[in-house]
Amino acid sequence: EQAATTSQIAHSAQVASGAAQDITERMDRVSASAQGAASGATDSRAAAVELSRMAADLQQVVGAFVY
């Protein structure tokens, strides 16, 4: 009976270890996705800043033709 209990405990520990490993792998994927999203946000911000600068330049050029 003790051997059966020990075997059951060992099996449960293996199952828990596998679940912990699965959670770790999923968290790694979430982290990688978050880093990708942050990088994309940084790129989008840089593009928006450049677009704003270009719009100001265009306004200046168009303003030269108004008068």
Side-chain angles (χ1 to χ4, degrees):
E1 190 175 309
Q2 186 176 1
T5 301
T6 302
S7 178
Q8 185 71 24
I9 291 170
H11 175 71
S12 294
Q14 283 181 327
V15 169
S17 176
Q21 184 175 358
D22 184 48
I23 290 169
T24 299
E25 290 170 1
R26 289 174 190 237
M27 292 304 293
D28 287 344
R29 281 183 278 189
V30 168
S31 177
S33 294
Q35 288 174 355
S39 177
T42 299
D43 291 347
S44 293
R45 182 184 181 285
V49 167
E50 177 65 12
L51 183 60
S52 177
R53 185 195 63 74
M54 291 170 68
D57 289 348
L58 181 60
Q59 250 181 341
Q60 200 172 30
V61 170
V62 169
F65 290 103
V66 173
Y67 296 107

